[in-house]
Amino acid sequence: MQEKDLILYKTIAKILKEKRLEKGLKFTIFCYENDIATSSLNLIENGNSKTYFSNIAKVIKALDMSFEEFGKLLDKELPKDFSQED
């Protein structure tokens, strides 16, 4: 996995896990109530592996976040030079 990919997945993981925990949502119950496979959420929250964007979108929606809000959080959390070409 390329370094930028790893940074992106780890940042997405951090944001989504923090939001879930801020809301006091337990992992297994959150998955069950939102029809999200525990294996998918585990991959997303650990940032160790690529996952389909549809799974990430489902988690964003389940956390009552808009894509705009998520995008702003992602932009804030990513390194300042992240969007520059290598």
Side-chain angles (χ1 to χ4, degrees):
M1 186 179 304
Q2 292 183 359
E3 184 179 348
K4 279 199 168 187
D5 289 343
L6 185 60
I7 291 169
L8 179 61
Y9 295 127
K10 292 289 185 185
T11 305
I12 290 170
K14 179 180 184 271
I15 292 168
L16 297 180
K17 186 173 186 176
E18 283 178 359
K19 284 294 181 183
R20 180 179 60 77
L21 293 174
E22 282 175 13
K23 293 176 178 266
L25 302 169
K26 302 218 184 260
F27 183 88
T28 306
I29 295 169
F30 177 77
C31 289
Y32 176 76
E33 289 178 343
N34 294 286
D35 194 31
I36 298 168
T38 55
S39 58
S40 293
L41 188 59
N42 188 49
L43 287 173
I44 292 167
E45 287 194 353
N46 286 316
N48 293 329
S49 178
K50 293 180 183 178
T51 186
Y52 293 108
F53 185 76
S54 60
N55 290 332
I56 294 171
K58 199 172 193 180
V59 174
I60 292 168
K61 183 178 178 186
L63 290 170
D64 294 322
M65 292 173 51
S66 68
F67 286 105
E68 181 180 5
E69 179 184 1
F70 175 73
K72 286 178 182 178
L73 290 170
L74 189 59
D75 187 52
K76 180 181 169 189
E77 292 289 332
L78 286 170
K80 297 297 177 211
D81 62 347
F82 185 80
S83 62
Q84 294 178 358
E85 295 294 323
D86 290 324

